[in-house]
Amino acid sequence: MSRGSARPLPDDVFRSFVRELAARTDKLDMLGRLRRGHQPDRHGWCEHPEHAHRWERHPCPVLRLADLVEATDEPD
């Protein structure tokens, strides 16, 4: 087995990150903070100041992450 083959796949790392966020005791508060200010403008772009340097379609990656965390069951 080569040294590089033991690395986790990026998808597995991302899913693990989402599960960790879903397990937080303050999950609802955290999701509210993540979503705050991310509103679509009349052209469908996210108006959050975080996107001032580059336009992001609404829903932006931050909102999509919040949705994934919300939809993830907490581990037993």
Side-chain angles (χ1 to χ4, degrees):
M1 178 184 282
S2 69
R3 192 173 89 181
S5 65
R7 287 187 170 160
L9 297 172
D11 189 52
D12 293 336
V13 173
F14 181 74
R15 288 174 195 242
S16 176
F17 175 67
V18 169
R19 284 191 305 272
E20 287 290 325
L21 292 177
R24 290 178 56 126
T25 57
D26 66 338
K27 178 172 103 172
L28 294 178
D29 184 50
M30 177 200 58
L31 292 174
R33 288 191 315 268
L34 280 174
R35 289 182 170 129
R36 191 173 302 128
H38 290 271
Q39 302 297 325
D41 69 8
R42 63 187 177 132
H43 301 290
W45 299 101
C46 186
E47 289 188 324
H48 194 276
E50 176 72 24
H51 309 305
H53 64 284
R54 61 176 162 50
W55 290 0
E56 291 281 353
R57 278 281 179 201
H58 190 275
C60 67
V62 173
L63 291 176
R64 293 194 314 262
L65 173 63
D67 290 345
L68 281 172
V69 170
E70 187 173 53
T72 299
D73 292 330
E74 294 179 22
D76 295 332

